[in-house]
């Protein structure tokens, strides 16, 4: 099944990606060229893939594990609906998900 994901850049630019069920949000974002570094490659050892989930979509996500919450404590600009993109696996229930890239996002890989 194809899943639509909407990204809102720090400057307000909106982009849409098509993903497959089971894809990880971080991989989808990076393939689209969004500035999410993902330094730890999804091992939950950093917060460089921090995104802010649209409030209406946040309730559709499974709750964050304690380890993810700990990493979000280190994320610049974290909000009540912040999550790590490496911990969001896309399902049919998340079709149409909208996430915002925080202003503080930095991609040291230069993508």
């Amino acid at each position: 099944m194809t899943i639509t994901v909407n990204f809102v850049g720090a400057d307000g630019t909106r982009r849409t990606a098509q993903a497959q069920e089971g894809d990880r949000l971080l991989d989808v974002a990076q393939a689209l060229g969004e500035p999410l570094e993902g330094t730890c490659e999804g091992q939950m050892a950093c917060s460089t893939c921090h995104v802010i989930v649209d409030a209406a979509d946040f309730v559709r996500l499974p709750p964050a594990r304690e380890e993810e919450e700990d990493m979000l404590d280190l994320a610049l600009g974290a909000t009540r609906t912040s999550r790590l993109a490496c911990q969001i696996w896309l399902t049919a229930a998340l079709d149409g998900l909208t996430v915002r890239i925080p202003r503080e996002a930095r991609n040291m890989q230069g993508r």
Side-chain angles (χ1 to χ4, degrees):
M1 171 178 187
T2 301
I3 310 293
T4 299
V5 181
N6 303 296
F7 293 93
V8 180
D11 63 357
T13 303
R14 293 179 142 324
R15 295 173 40 170
T16 300
Q18 300 299 314
Q20 295 302 309
E21 192 165 5
D23 286 350
R24 185 172 61 166
L25 183 61
L26 174 60
D27 299 327
V28 174
Q30 287 177 333
L32 193 61
E34 293 297 336
L36 296 180
E37 188 173 346
T39 302
C40 72
E41 298 179 358
Q43 299 302 308
M44 239 184 333
C46 72
S47 61
T48 60
C49 67
H50 165 229
V51 293
I52 301 169
V53 179
D54 184 87
D57 294 332
F58 188 76
V59 298
R60 297 193 289 155
L61 293 172
R65 295 187 354 232
E66 184 176 343
E67 297 88 352
E68 181 179 359
E69 293 287 348
D70 290 345
M71 285 295 107
L72 287 168
D73 288 343
L74 304 174
L76 295 173
T79 71
R80 179 182 66 76
T81 62
S82 289
R83 290 296 299 267
L84 298 179
C86 70
Q87 297 303 300
I88 298 175
W89 296 91
L90 300 173
T91 65
L94 295 176
D95 188 35
L97 178 71
T98 298
V99 297
R100 184 168 50 88
I101 307 300
R103 292 196 184 283
E104 297 82 6
R106 287 178 178 70
N107 187 346
M108 303 305 279
Q109 295 176 6
R111 287 187 202 181

